Amino acid sequence: MVNKITDDKNTEELILLAAEHEFMTYGYNGAKTVRIASSAGVTHAMLHYYFRTKENLFNKVFEEKQKLVAKSMEVFFLNPDLPFLERIKAVIEAHFDFVANNQALPRFVINELISNPEKLSLFKDQISEFVGTLVALIQKEADEAAKQGIIRRVNVTDILIDVASLNIFPFVAFPLLQIIKGDCLIDREEFIATRRKESVEVIMQRLKP
């Protein structure tokens, strides 16, 4: 029984990895379950057994990515041992690192929401509760920090939008930036490291009292 559960889990993980690559490469509409099954080394019937439909598979991949984003941020936001500003800095860096390690994801999400607006409800359902709870907690701490003169009074939602914009734009627009900056973007790793530092500095400056 234990081996059966383990085998099922391993098979699901292989299918999800193949599906992630397929969706990121071809988008939802262009993705083929036959190709996913082949990449995962399973039959099409087996893929259907585990996930039933392409939509279910897409939803699972999307859900797993949302969990990774939430976990990477939650670790720092909900860590009372770190001073408030240090937590903000850690969250900016953690989010940037997540995007840097999943560079196709932001463009994929944006493209899907534009081409398949009905998926906006899925996106909203998966993040609204987490974001709403988190924003309320951070806003309370931010208000207290502002009273103590640690930061200026800010709207946390605006700060999170700023963080997302600073961290995501360089990866979404990288092909265009290569044209604009030319030889300045020969070293991609240096560019990424510079943008990471810049994101932190811009938000820290924004918070200064």
Side-chain angles (χ1 to χ4, degrees), residues 160-176:
L160 292 178
I161 291 173
D162 290 343
V163 171
S165 301
L166 288 165
N167 286 350
I168 291 173
F169 180 79
F171 299 102
V172 173
F174 190 79
L176 177 61

Side-chain angles (χ1 to χ4, degrees), residues 16 24 54-71 73-74 98 105 108-109 112-113 118-134:
L16 286 173
M24 296 297 169
K54 183 171 79 168
E55 185 173 8
N56 286 345
L57 190 52
F58 173 86
N59 291 348
K60 184 64 176 177
V61 169
F62 199 84
E63 179 184 347
E64 291 300 315
K65 285 299 181 183
Q66 286 300 126
K67 285 180 180 177
L68 284 175
V69 175
K71 186 176 181 180
M73 299 175 69
E74 189 176 34
F98 175 83
L105 184 61
F108 167 74
V109 172
E112 286 304 314
L113 294 181
E118 69 276 5
K119 294 196 181 300
L120 184 61
S121 60
L122 171 65
F123 185 78
K124 181 180 178 181
D125 290 344
Q126 291 189 353
I127 70 169
S128 59
E129 183 177 353
F130 167 76
V131 170
T133 301
L134 193 59

